[in-house]
Amino acid sequence: MPEMSYAQALNDALGQALANDPKVLVMGEDIGHHGGVFAVTKGLLERFGPKRVIDTPISESGFLGAAIGAATVGYRPVVELMWVDFAMVAMDPIVNQAAKTSYMSDGRVKVPLVIRTQQGAGRGNGAQHSQSLETMFAQVPGLKVAAPFEPADAKGMLMAAVEDDGPVIFLEHKLLYTRKGDVPGGRHVVPLGKAKVSRLGQDVTLVGLSRMVELAETAAKELSRQGVEAEVIDLRCLVPLDIETIRVSLQKTGRVVLVQEAHRSFGWAAEVSARLMEDSFDDLKAPVRRITSEDVPFPYNQRLEASVMPSVPKVVAAALSLCQDY
Amino acid sequence: MPEMSYAQALNDALGQALANDPKVLVMGEDIGHHGGVFAVTKGLLERFGPKRVIDTPISESGFLGAAIGAATVGYRPVVELMWVDFAMVAMDPIVNQAAKTSYMSDGRVKVPLVIRTQQGAGRGNGAQHSQSLETMFAQVPGLKVAAPFEPADAKGMLMAAVEDDGPVIFLEHKLLYTRKGDVPGGRHVVPLGKAKVSRLGQDVTLVGLSRMVELAETAAKELSRQGVEAEVIDLRCLVPLDIETIRVSLQKTGRVVLVQEAHRSFGWAAEVSARLMEDSFDDLKAPVRRITSEDVPFPYNQRLEASVMPSVPKVVAAALSLCQDY
Amino acid sequence: MGEQDWRVGALSEMYRIRAFEEQSADFYRQGLLGGSLHLGIGQEAVAVGAVGALRSADQVTMTYRGRGQALAKGVSAAAMFAEMLGRSTGTSHGKGGPMHIYSPEAGAMGTNAIVAAGIPIAAGLALAAQLDESDRVVMTFFGDGAVNQGAFHEAMNLAAIWKLPLVLICENNLYSEMTPIREMVVQDDLADRAKAYAIPAAVVDGNDVVVVRQAAEEAVQRARSGQGPTFLECKTYRLVGHMLGDPEVYRTRDEVERWAANGPLVRLEASLVRDGRLTAKACEEMQAAAREEIQAAAAQALAEPEPDVAQALTHVF
Amino acid sequence: MGEQDWRVGALSEMYRIRAFEEQSADFYRQGLLGGSLHLGIGQEAVAVGAVGALRSADQVTMTYRGRGQALAKGVSAAAMFAEMLGRSTGTSHGKGGPMHIYSPEAGAMGTNAIVAAGIPIAAGLALAAQLDESDRVVMTFFGDGAVNQGAFHEAMNLAAIWKLPLVLICENNLYSEMTPIREMVVQDDLADRAKAYAIPAAVVDGNDVVVVRQAAEEAVQRARSGQGPTFLECKTYRLVGHMLGDPEVYRTRDEVERWAANGPLVRLEASLVRDGRLTAKACEEMQAAAREEIQAAAAQALAEPEPDVAQALTHVF
Ligand SMILES: Cc1ncc(C[n+]2csc(CCOP(=O)(O)OP(=O)(O)O)c2C)c(N)n1
Ligand SMILES: Cc1ncc(C[n+]2csc(CCOP(=O)(O)OP(=O)(O)O)c2C)c(N)n1
Ligand SMILES: [Mg+2]
Ligand SMILES: [Mg+2]
């Protein structure tokens, strides 16, 4: 299996999707000639031409709406929003149009649309370029929400998203693009809605999404040195939410720490915590803990920024306290 | 205390605010000459003139941005978004501008802005006019989120919102406008971030927001007939979140049912549930239950619509099952 | 098609729309509909004139006020009534409602409850037509108030730079809800907006089906032959409130009456009678026939069952 | 103010901005800044010409590229550097960063990281000026790419209907990030956009500080005297990449060199020398003095402490 970066894996997926299905389009700002500001769409214009790989003006509402229109008659647009923060200028097409068209037409009009974007903090980009907005999308019925961590999943989940007949919000992480990993060649589809156990352990379960899986894995190694064996789960998707994989792990460990990069309150970790309480109350040896960013916009100064974000020591401390106190 | 409808109470608050502070403005579509499609701004243009009560074009991003600009130099605009669903065309000014300006300027530029809107289903308005989007706002640090139920609170919380130095999302409910109640005259300020115990009981705690308090109260009466005494809490605000009032009640009852009109997954009830697990694990006799709308866009057909929404029987059944099974 | 033929057909179609809207209002008054109801009474010439220039494979997007356009495009009256009544034979099995009429077979790609939201979607349908190398044309209807929405502008620019086969029909009925458009833009003609994108534009009398049709034919021809988008401002007037229940305090009875006297039906009737194409009696008979057809559709829809509640959970994705 | 005086002062201000931008680039290359850095090198004449027409009580909104405009408006170089370096004496105590410069005392009401978002905010500042019955004027800077955002249009219309004291400065530097504007609009002149709102507009050579200043004075005068908004398209060019690290593959070295030869500094120097106002040596001395001042500000900022981490939690609301 070839080693690829996360960005290359995504590029590979887009290339395959464009090659396999003439209805697949790639659209967005600076994605054609320039190949995308994170190089995810590099070389696609040259290979597939300007009718398939379409540079757009800075009109997110306009071109997302247009992508929806094209999707309703059989195209499969994969639209890049350069930063997730810019989704805020285009929430109507996402929330009121793409998400609801299948339901409002009772399945007569489908919207096979992928919205690719990148999110996350840790780079000193300031408050308007650092958000993690996955829960905003997850709470809208009709949208699937994927956020891969491993390069192989980046490819496999993007291919699944393109083949999906409904709208998928596909969230990459700006600090993962250079992450390397083995990535299967050819068609590689990882179904949406399946979490992955990436490390086995019996004392505590650490659940992460996107880049937070990295923290969970590093924390697990540190915990192991301290005699605590953590199971690590890469959630991979918020919608569909694979609560079952977490429940099975919880039955073994009895303790769960959720690691969420988004701000603390009203994020996905709350939903997972609530679900575990509802579905696995008797298995809980200890309360589910959340390690998250604080409820403040992301500060620019990188020391301040780091201070409000999840960190390996914070995850380790939470896991240890659960193991010690319960 | 005069009896007023919820709409009249809001109108009274706006009239007082405009009269008390020359910096208060009221802006929005059809709010001047017409007095608002739900009559909340009725008579204000006549009383305060077109420089204070400003009819806008259908340009939500434009006039919200403008309201922010005016707020940064001392005005206190109270902007009406006719339906919360239309916030989707104006999320950038709300999420990236209003919410973050104080933080990004380290408090040097404040945005004393109130965004009034109405939400909720139950009227057969279809998928694009029935949403409850409170959690989308609550998850953005920098926004306060209020959703009054009682007419007196509608007035008192709106007055508090206008006096607040930061942006407040003020969520009314389309089915509450005609609700009547006693409303104090004159200046009446109900601080944001305080829940209210509206009924005492010791067996189970029912927590609702906005119109769902009505369901909780009706359910409590029914439960009482069946020998179960429910405490009812009107949450009133999501940000600041008054978890303490719920915790105190939980210490007594050991059981909590949260009644949320928004779709089930990733809503505010998940946050409350997660917080109770974190802060009150040992007090929980039973898992916290959520009664919510299903994870589907709201259907038009009113029987279907009712079927996917919370109802009194669903709340009663959840409360009974908690009392019986735990 | 000779002029004689199509004008008579157009009148008949306008009668159908009027009857459909009146029947809808009846349903609403009887409490049979959910939500709000926005009628296009008085705007029938725009629907019939503009859609008349389209082929069956062409597509339209509309607003909450657009069921008349959908009817003109070939959507079944019975299926639309069933939708409005929330019945299982509705265009969306009762799950969409009057603001969400989809009939892809007929090329009706959605009425929409968000002002201007259908315009970028139409641009995308036009992009698809172009990518398909088809000669399909897409038409999008919106009101005067919609030109103040950002989405309108973004779509206009996309249409211009991509030379999309798109016809933009602005129904300027002088009001957006209760607000006169003259207070919300500085120009007299909204067609001026098209100058910003060098899109060909025209202002036409939207109550004259002949001039609407003529302008639409030109625009459709331009689109079909790869010459890109056209913006048509159709000056018209809704003879009823913004929605059922609108107290209409923002306009005078006198203003309404002047426009009623200048309404699209009376004008077309008068010109057909004047030209000797139809007698007054023939008009009445045509109108009666249209009413009968629509009432039969209404009766059919009323007899249909509601969907099973289990259907509330399907087709989410 | 005589022409002689202000042009010399303008040159000095342009040197300051250039030095500020070059120092910023140095900081970035040394790894001292977070995020991305967008410089206005080559666009100094727009900043100095336009802001030169303003009074101290007037206000501006800007973009991520707008620190030169902030400097011209009177924001302290040391405080901006401190902000960029994340220090506690920064304009926002290091919590905002280069894309979020606020200095209300100087009338700098925010650089902004969202394309076009500062335009409606500026409209609101102008509305406040109008409601205050003050004669304050508000100026908003944005790029060529921003005219394709809905927010731009909505703000233009608000400015038109409310006759706001607003001057809209479009810096057309030919590219939005890596995309040539000629592929994203159909017209040559973005000033055409103003026709849609009947807003007076002009296209000016944005590399000539004299014509920018002249046009800005007229626009400001119009705004101050209650005659409403003006749109100015300033044709200019950024002589550096969109951001530090931009490989600039989308344009030729030749194109950059042609524009460099036509750059605002060399042109103003040449004309002042030609007119006998300054010698080449005097120019050099002025530039050196500007550099010195800016370097002193940089050194000062570098010596400042970082904020305490507890400050990460303050001023959320
Ligand atoms: C984005 C958005 N803002 C506001 C509304 C509320 N609204 C519904 S119809 C309407 C008036 C639209 O006027 P116009 O575009 O002239 O169309 P008309 O109703 O006259 O056909 C408004 C403001 C909405 N549906 N969507
Ligand atoms: C709404 C939004 N979309 C996209 C971006 C990403 N972006 C940042 S700068 C830029 C180009 C803007 O070009 P222009 O308006 O010409 O200004 P310039 O950078 O040339 O000064 C883009 C697309 C953004 N910041 N905001
Ligand atoms: Mg109208
Ligand atoms: Mg540019």
Side-chain angles (χ1 to χ4, degrees):
Chain A
M1 255 194 313
E3 200 188 57
M4 282 186 196
S5 73
Y6 190 87
Q8 285 165 336
L10 293 163
N11 183 267
D12 189 32
L14 291 174
Q16 303 252 355
L18 283 159
N20 294 347
D21 182 348
K23 289 296 193 178
V24 171
L25 306 175
V26 171
M27 301 170 70
E29 294 161 19
D30 296 313
I31 56 94
H33 286 287
H34 186 66
V37 292
F38 294 94
V40 172
T41 55
K42 206 168 174 149
L44 299 178
L45 175 66
E46 293 73 4
R47 276 173 71 196
F48 299 99
K51 296 186 90 178
R52 309 283 310 282
V53 180
I54 303 172
D55 272 318
T56 65
I58 313 175
S59 307
E60 285 86 356
S61 261
F63 66 74
L64 264 176
I68 292 167
T72 60
V73 288
Y75 282 89
R76 293 185 172 271
V78 183
V79 180
E80 177 173 305
L81 284 179
M82 203 185 280
W83 298 62
V84 76
D85 317 80
F86 311 157
M88 297 302 97
V89 301
M91 285 298 266
D92 183 68
I94 299 173
V95 172
N96 286 330
Q97 314 299 331
K100 296 179 174 41
T101 297
S102 172
Y103 192 82
M104 294 191 305
S105 68
D106 202 42
R108 287 177 180 168
V109 181
K110 290 286 188 187
V111 184
L113 166 71
V114 181
I115 300 177
R116 284 185 45 245
T117 185
Q118 55 79 25
Q119 57 174 24
R123 223 166 136 260
N125 284 108
Q128 290 177 340
H129 274 61
S130 301
Q131 296 169 89
S132 288
L133 298 178
E134 64 278 347
T135 308
M136 229 183 235
F137 303 114
Q139 62 201 185
V140 180
L143 300 177
K144 293 187 179 155
V145 180
F149 167 61
E150 292 291 358
D153 288 338
K155 173 172 175 181
M157 288 164 66
L158 184 51
M159 294 203 76
V162 175
E163 293 181 9
D164 198 285
D165 283 338
V168 179
I169 308 293
F170 193 88
L171 299 164
E172 303 159 14
H173 195 293
K174 54 175 74 63
L175 292 179
L176 289 178
Y177 282 125
T178 56
R179 185 182 169 85
K180 290 256 161 79
D182 291 335
V183 177
R187 184 166 175 279
H188 168 60
V189 176
V190 174
L192 303 180
K194 300 257 170 268
K196 184 168 70 177
V197 178
S198 71
R199 184 185 198 279
L200 290 170
Q202 68 285 340
D203 299 325
V204 60
T205 304
L206 310 180
V207 182
L209 182 76
S210 185
R211 191 169 87 82
M212 293 301 103
V213 179
E214 193 167 278
L215 270 66
E217 288 181 344
T218 311
K221 287 191 199 114
E222 174 59 30
L223 285 165
S224 180
R225 276 190 286 277
Q226 304 195 31
V228 169
E229 291 308 327
E231 186 141 310
V232 175
I233 295 178
D234 176 355
L235 198 49
R236 297 205 285 199
C237 276
L238 290 185
V239 182
L241 180 66
D242 181 5
I243 202 76
E244 204 43 39
T245 293
I246 307 176
R247 289 190 61 203
V248 168
S249 179
L250 170 63
Q251 278 162 15
K252 180 166 55 170
T253 64
R255 300 174 187 91
V256 176
V257 177
L258 306 169
V259 193
Q260 164 188 298
E261 182 170 336
H263 309 296
R264 179 166 194 75
S265 296
F266 306 98
W268 62 261
E271 176 66 25
V272 172
S273 176
R275 284 293 296 276
L276 292 176
M277 164 124 68
E278 283 159 359
D279 302 347
S280 302
F281 191 63
D282 294 335
D283 295 324
L284 287 168
K285 288 189 201 150
V288 173
R289 281 279 162 79
R290 294 178 289 168
I291 299 298
T292 69
S293 290
E294 302 292 337
D295 285 334
V296 304
F298 288 100
Y300 166 73
N301 174 299
Q302 286 185 270
R303 263 183 55 236
L304 268 55
E305 186 187 29
S307 79
V308 302
M309 290 181 65
S311 66
V312 172
K314 290 179 193 172
V315 177
V316 168
L320 285 179
S321 95
L322 285 190
C323 293
Q324 282 152 10
D325 303 347
Y326 295 90
Chain B
M1 256 192 312
E3 200 188 56
M4 283 187 196
S5 73
Y6 190 87
Q8 286 165 336
L10 294 163
N11 182 266
D12 188 33
L14 291 173
Q16 303 253 355
L18 283 159
N20 294 346
D21 182 348
K23 290 296 192 179
V24 172
L25 307 175
V26 171
M27 301 171 68
E29 295 161 18
D30 296 313
I31 56 93
H33 286 288
H34 186 66
V37 293
F38 294 95
V40 171
T41 55
K42 207 167 172 150
L44 299 178
L45 174 67
E46 292 73 5
R47 278 174 68 195
F48 299 99
K51 296 187 91 177
R52 308 283 310 282
V53 180
I54 305 173
D55 272 317
T56 66
I58 313 175
S59 307
E60 285 86 355
S61 262
F63 66 73
L64 264 176
I68 293 167
T72 61
V73 288
Y75 282 89
R76 295 186 170 269
V78 183
V79 181
E80 175 172 307
L81 285 178
M82 205 185 281
W83 298 62
V84 77
D85 317 79
F86 313 157
M88 297 302 97
V89 302
M91 285 298 266
D92 183 69
I94 300 173
V95 172
N96 286 330
Q97 314 300 330
K100 295 178 173 46
T101 297
S102 172
Y103 192 83
M104 295 191 305
S105 69
D106 201 42
R108 285 177 181 169
V109 180
K110 290 286 187 187
V111 184
L113 166 70
V114 181
I115 300 177
R116 283 184 47 245
T117 183
Q118 56 78 24
Q119 58 174 25
R123 224 166 136 260
N125 284 108
Q128 291 177 341
H129 274 62
S130 301
Q131 297 170 90
S132 288
L133 298 177
E134 63 278 347
T135 308
M136 228 182 236
F137 303 113
Q139 63 202 183
V140 180
L143 300 178
K144 293 187 179 156
V145 180
F149 167 61
E150 291 291 357
D153 288 339
K155 173 172 176 180
M157 289 164 67
L158 184 51
M159 293 204 77
V162 175
E163 293 181 9
D164 198 285
D165 283 338
V168 179
I169 309 292
F170 193 89
L171 300 163
E172 303 158 14
H173 195 295
K174 54 175 76 63
L175 292 180
L176 289 177
Y177 282 125
T178 55
R179 185 183 170 84
K180 290 255 161 82
D182 291 335
V183 176
R187 185 165 175 280
H188 168 59
V189 176
V190 174
L192 302 180
K194 300 259 171 269
K196 182 169 71 176
V197 179
S198 72
R199 184 185 197 278
L200 290 170
Q202 69 285 339
D203 299 324
V204 60
T205 304
L206 310 181
V207 183
L209 183 76
S210 186
R211 192 170 84 86
M212 293 300 104
V213 179
E214 192 169 278
L215 270 66
E217 288 180 346
T218 311
K221 286 191 201 116
E222 174 59 30
L223 285 164
S224 180
R225 276 192 285 276
Q226 304 196 29
V228 170
E229 290 308 325
E231 186 141 310
V232 176
I233 295 178
D234 176 355
L235 197 49
R236 296 202 287 197
C237 276
L238 290 184
V239 183
L241 181 65
D242 181 5
I243 202 75
E244 203 44 38
T245 294
I246 307 177
R247 290 190 59 203
V248 168
S249 179
L250 170 64
Q251 279 162 16
K252 180 167 52 169
T253 64
R255 301 175 186 91
V256 175
V257 177
L258 306 168
V259 193
Q260 163 188 297
E261 181 171 337
H263 308 295
R264 180 167 194 75
S265 296
F266 306 97
W268 62 261
E271 176 67 24
V272 172
S273 175
R275 284 292 297 277
L276 292 176
M277 165 125 69
E278 284 160 358
D279 302 348
S280 302
F281 191 62
D282 295 335
D283 294 325
L284 287 167
K285 289 190 200 148
V288 173
R289 282 278 162 80
R290 294 179 288 167
I291 299 299
T292 70
S293 289
E294 301 293 336
D295 285 334
V296 304
F298 288 99
Y300 166 73
N301 174 298
Q302 286 184 273
R303 262 184 55 237
L304 269 56
E305 186 187 30
S307 79
V308 302
M309 290 181 67
S311 65
V312 171
K314 290 179 193 173
V315 177
V316 168
L320 286 179
S321 97
L322 286 189
C323 293
Q324 281 152 9
D325 303 349
Y326 296 90
Chain C
M1 199 181 346
E3 195 197 323
Q4 178 181 10
D5 295 339
W6 85 258
R7 279 198 301 164
V8 172
L11 182 62
S12 159
E13 192 60 36
M14 284 159 66
Y15 284 142
R16 285 183 79 227
I17 296 177
R18 179 69 59 98
F20 185 91
E21 297 291 69
E22 285 171 348
Q23 177 63 56
S24 301
D26 260 15
F27 281 151
Y28 187 88
R29 289 195 202 95
Q30 290 170 53
L32 294 172
L33 307 188
S36 309
L37 182 66
H38 310 82
L39 300 177
I41 288 179
Q43 305 182 197
E44 296 89 349
V46 184
V48 170
V51 174
L54 296 178
R55 298 181 187 159
S56 141
D58 295 333
Q59 292 161 327
V60 296
T61 70
M62 300 145 291
T63 76
Y64 46 86
R65 203 182 297 293
R67 286 166 303 280
Q69 296 137 13
L71 202 65
K73 191 69 182 66
V75 180
S76 140
M80 269 199 285
F81 280 141
E83 186 60 29
M84 297 167 76
L85 293 162
R87 305 303 162 100
S88 67
T89 54
T91 41
S92 302
H93 294 156
K95 288 160 69 175
M99 303 210 286
H100 307 294
I101 300 289
Y102 293 88
S103 180
E105 319 76 51
M109 301 307 288
T111 58
N112 208 308
I114 305 295
V115 167
I119 312 174
I121 292 173
L125 292 164
L127 176 66
Q130 189 182 65
L131 293 172
D132 285 346
E133 292 174 21
S134 80
D135 64 357
R136 282 200 313 277
V137 167
V138 179
M139 188 174 272
T140 178
F141 290 89
F142 51 90
D144 46 285
V147 305
N148 291 329
Q149 267 289 315
F152 160 74
H153 298 276
E154 297 189 7
M156 287 285 278
N157 188 59
L158 291 180
I161 62 172
W162 293 339
K163 271 200 164 217
L164 296 178
L166 182 66
V167 179
L168 298 116
I169 308 279
C170 178
E171 296 191 274
N172 184 351
N173 61 8
L174 309 192
Y175 296 90
S176 49
E177 299 215 338
M178 297 74 192
T179 299
I181 188 67
R182 67 171 183 279
E183 294 178 9
M184 293 302 154
V185 301
V186 295
Q187 311 101 310
D188 291 327
D189 291 331
L190 302 178
D192 286 0
R193 294 281 158 120
K195 292 181 187 165
Y197 319 91
I199 291 179
V203 183
V204 301
D205 179 345
N207 278 8
D208 183 339
V209 73
V210 176
V211 304
V212 173
R213 174 72 178 258
Q214 213 155 26
E217 293 277 5
E218 275 173 42
V220 167
Q221 174 49 27
R222 189 175 296 128
R224 215 180 290 291
S225 59
Q227 295 173 76
T230 304
F231 179 97
L232 284 189
E233 178 185 358
C234 302
K235 307 261 195 198
T236 182
Y237 196 81
R238 58 170 157 69
L239 294 170
V240 293
H242 167 69
M243 56 184 191
L244 274 265
D246 174 0
E248 295 180 61
V249 290
Y250 49 87
R251 59 187 190 180
T252 60
R253 176 180 294 267
D254 190 58
E255 178 181 296
V256 179
E257 275 167 12
R258 262 183 297 119
W259 279 94
N262 189 35
L265 295 187
V266 291
R267 274 174 66 179
L268 184 54
E269 286 163 355
S271 79
L272 284 166
V273 170
R274 197 174 49 233
D275 296 354
R277 311 288 196 198
L278 285 178
T279 61
K281 180 141 180 295
C283 291
E284 270 166 43
E285 282 166 9
M286 270 173 64
Q287 181 152 27
R291 284 219 180 101
E292 217 165 292
E293 180 220 318
I294 292 297
Q295 279 162 10
Q300 184 189 332
L302 272 172
E304 303 288 359
E306 289 197 47
D308 192 277
V309 290
Q311 299 219 12
L313 303 179
T314 61
H315 294 299
V316 175
F317 294 100
Chain D
M1 201 180 344
E3 196 195 321
Q4 177 178 12
D5 295 340
W6 85 258
R7 280 199 302 165
V8 173
L11 182 63
S12 160
E13 193 59 37
M14 284 159 68
Y15 284 143
R16 285 182 80 226
I17 295 177
R18 179 68 59 97
F20 184 92
E21 297 292 69
E22 285 170 347
Q23 177 63 56
S24 301
D26 261 15
F27 281 151
Y28 187 88
R29 287 194 203 95
Q30 290 169 53
L32 295 173
L33 306 189
S36 310
L37 183 66
H38 310 83
L39 301 177
I41 287 179
Q43 304 182 197
E44 296 88 350
V46 184
V48 171
V51 173
L54 295 178
R55 298 182 187 158
S56 141
D58 295 333
Q59 292 161 326
V60 295
T61 72
M62 302 146 288
T63 76
Y64 45 86
R65 203 182 297 291
R67 285 166 303 281
Q69 296 137 13
L71 202 63
K73 191 67 182 67
V75 181
S76 140
M80 268 200 285
F81 280 141
E83 186 60 29
M84 297 167 78
L85 293 162
R87 305 304 163 98
S88 66
T89 54
T91 41
S92 303
H93 295 157
K95 288 160 70 174
M99 303 210 287
H100 307 294
I101 301 289
Y102 293 88
S103 181
E105 317 77 52
M109 300 308 289
T111 59
N112 208 307
I114 305 295
V115 168
I119 312 174
I121 293 173
L125 292 164
L127 176 65
Q130 190 182 66
L131 293 173
D132 285 345
E133 292 173 20
S134 79
D135 64 357
R136 282 199 315 275
V137 168
V138 180
M139 187 175 271
T140 178
F141 290 90
F142 51 90
D144 45 287
V147 304
N148 291 329
Q149 267 290 314
F152 160 73
H153 298 276
E154 296 190 6
M156 287 283 278
N157 188 59
L158 291 181
I161 63 173
W162 292 339
K163 272 202 162 213
L164 296 178
L166 181 66
V167 179
L168 299 115
I169 307 278
C170 178
E171 297 191 275
N172 184 351
N173 61 9
L174 308 192
Y175 295 90
S176 50
E177 299 216 337
M178 297 73 191
T179 299
I181 188 68
R182 68 171 182 280
E183 294 179 10
M184 294 302 155
V185 300
V186 295
Q187 312 98 310
D188 291 326
D189 292 331
L190 302 178
D192 286 0
R193 294 282 158 120
K195 292 180 188 167
Y197 318 92
I199 291 179
V203 183
V204 301
D205 179 346
N207 278 8
D208 184 338
V209 73
V210 177
V211 304
V212 173
R213 173 72 178 258
Q214 214 154 27
E217 293 276 7
E218 274 173 44
V220 167
Q221 175 49 27
R222 189 174 296 127
R224 217 181 289 290
S225 59
Q227 295 173 75
T230 305
F231 180 97
L232 284 189
E233 178 185 357
C234 303
K235 308 261 193 197
T236 184
Y237 195 81
R238 59 170 157 68
L239 294 170
V240 293
H242 166 68
M243 56 183 191
L244 275 266
D246 175 359
E248 294 180 62
V249 291
Y250 49 88
R251 60 187 190 179
T252 61
R253 179 180 293 268
D254 191 56
E255 177 181 297
V256 180
E257 276 167 10
R258 260 183 298 121
W259 278 95
N262 188 34
L265 295 187
V266 292
R267 274 174 65 179
L268 183 55
E269 286 162 355
S271 78
L272 284 166
V273 171
R274 195 175 50 232
D275 296 352
R277 311 287 195 200
L278 284 178
T279 61
K281 180 142 178 295
C283 290
E284 270 166 41
E285 283 166 8
M286 269 172 65
Q287 181 151 29
R291 283 219 179 99
E292 217 165 291
E293 179 220 318
I294 292 297
Q295 279 161 10
Q300 184 190 331
L302 271 172
E304 303 289 359
E306 289 197 47
D308 192 276
V309 290
Q311 299 219 11
L313 304 179
T314 61
H315 293 301
V316 175
F317 294 99

